[in-house]
Amino acid sequence: MKTIVYKISGLLVMVLLLSSCKKGFLDIVPKGKAVATTVSDYDQLMNNTSFYSLNSNNNYLIMGDDIGAEQARYQNTDLNTQRSFGWEDVIQTEGQDDVYTAVQLQNLYICNKIINEVISITDGSELQRKRLQAEALATRAWINFDLINRYGKPYKAATAAQDPGFPIITQANVNATNYIRNSVAEVYAAIIADLKTAIPNLPAKSVFVTRLSRPAATTLLGKVYLFMGQYQDALPQFNSAFADLENDPSIASLYNYNDAFSETGAFRPFGYLGPDYPGSNVSKNQESILLKTQYIYPNSNGVVMSPAVMSLYEPSDLRLNFYGRTRSDQTAVPGELRVKSAAQFSHLGIELSDLILMRAEVKARLNDLTGARADVQRLRENRMPFADSAVPATIGSQTDLIRFIIDERQREYAGEGQRWLDMRRLSVDPIFENQISRHFIYAADGETVTKTITLRPVRLTLRIPQTILEYNPEMRDNP
């Protein structure tokens, strides 16, 4: 096993890199000792780029049913991408580590180190130590929420206590052995406990948008409740996040696309592939309550947008400016297919638009249809001309409004990787549980479908990485 030492803003961390030699469960994360003795040292650990620049091996984007593929180009992509797109049982080749999960476990190790150690050091004020511990707790909750939405079944109250989830790891101990899979219910309970403990000690606004703040944590807690179907618990959390934003609008604010796309607007000038927008410029993050980005490969790889999703947009919807007919290599996309223009970054953190849509959905599910409509329109009037922004009058029933909000999520996040998580949670929702997800591969004319792939419900849950199972023989894999 190869050892390297790297520097994080003056703090040395020893890391043992992955190799083919024997290793235990937590050896798939950086194993070693962080030389941290002061509040500043521990604080610098939270600035590790892996917390906010998500590893590009994350396959959420490629698994959403909001995309398709061009056969001629897609067949030349790497096997992991093709297997993720095909919703196959096995993604990694034999002996290959799941790099994305390994990085998340590295981050979990750092969080646990801070949570368990920072309070006892004598340096710094009590407020500083509690705030840093709170941030690590909330970040641990974020990581566990991510992991349970990869390796645990979608939350269903009737079965969550029996459904296998993922190990709950609370110690920075690389020598621990015999990890077991806690139940989905236990993991969700641990996430909620971490967030509830953290929120009172978090600041309303962080120094960096990449670090957890109180509105980010309350939004995440509301999202957890939303995924559990506990809408009455989610709403107060979303309201609390909005209260922080109203007290300090500099935390996050919506771009008004009517202005941003004007001749002197924030998304100008257009490059040869499209606008200068958050997907092409990571510094354009004014909508981010918590900035987490994933670098996405150029669209020359054959990934295209689903025509069904593109049909959800009205002609005046300015979000259509993000989807063009020219690839990153400046070749034309065939037929009427579109690609995400100039896309380099997918935003997978906590965005103001997501908070708005989640609260709208929760209000609709609690039968506050007037409040839900108002929230949706708040977003839509910043995405298209005001005259076209109202929720259509034909959307009258509670169910119709919930469906409209989910469609609005697709219009807002098409090609961003958010759809995969929605597919999971909606699969156990009575309104959407019979919905079938498919991927289509298109011929060179951009119209003829050469292959249709139908998602089997079992593959809404990924299999546990082989490197974890090898050293935990009693740990059950997913089917």
Side-chain angles (χ1 to χ4, degrees), residues 18 117 171 194 205 211 272 274 309 325 406 423 457 470:
L18 302 176
E117 297 177 9
Q171 300 296 319
D194 277 353
K205 183 178 182 180
R211 304 277 294 262
Y272 67 91
V309 172
R325 295 194 171 93
I406 297 301
M423 287 163 57
E470 285 177 1

Side-chain angles (χ1 to χ4, degrees), residues 205-257:
K205 183 178 182 180
S206 291
V207 176
F208 304 111
V209 72
T210 55
R211 304 277 294 262
L212 262 291
S213 63
R214 186 171 65 230
T218 51
T219 300
L220 177 57
L221 181 54
K223 185 173 185 176
V224 172
Y225 285 132
L226 171 63
F227 275 53
M228 297 172 74
Q230 296 182 10
Y231 309 120
Q232 72 285 352
D233 295 319
L235 184 58
Q237 304 304 323
F238 295 146
N239 287 340
S240 175
F242 272 112
D244 277 328
L245 296 176
E246 288 163 3
N247 288 333
D248 186 354
S250 71
I251 296 172
S253 60
L254 289 174
Y255 286 106
N256 187 324
Y257 288 3

Side-chain angles (χ1 to χ4, degrees), residues 101-119:
T101 298
V103 172
Q104 286 293 60
L105 290 172
Q106 165 193 322
N107 292 337
L108 188 61
Y109 176 92
I110 294 172
C111 287
N112 284 332
K113 186 171 185 63
I114 295 170
I115 292 165
N116 296 325
E117 297 177 9
V118 73
I119 290 297

Side-chain angles (χ1 to χ4, degrees), residues 277-318:
Y277 71 113
S280 65
N281 187 340
V282 72
S283 66
K284 291 186 178 296
N285 52 39
Q286 76 173 43
E287 294 191 353
S288 299
I289 302 172
L290 175 67
L291 181 66
K292 288 182 182 289
T293 60
Q294 178 188 347
Y295 178 75
I296 56 178
Y297 33 75
N299 54 41
S300 58
N301 63 2
V303 172
V304 295
M305 302 310 303
S306 162
V309 172
M310 290 293 99
S311 70
L312 294 176
Y313 293 90
E314 299 152 46
S316 64
D317 196 321
L318 294 169

Side-chain angles (χ1 to χ4, degrees), residues 20-53:
S20 60
C21 67
K22 287 281 186 178
K23 53 186 178 289
F25 175 37
L26 282 184
D27 283 340
I28 66 174
V29 310
K31 176 182 177 181
K33 181 171 63 178
V35 185
T37 58
T38 68
V39 168
S40 178
D41 290 341
Y42 285 98
D43 184 73
Q44 294 299 332
L45 283 173
M46 291 304 299
N47 284 333
N48 192 336
T49 57
S50 62
F51 282 115
Y52 58 85
S53 183

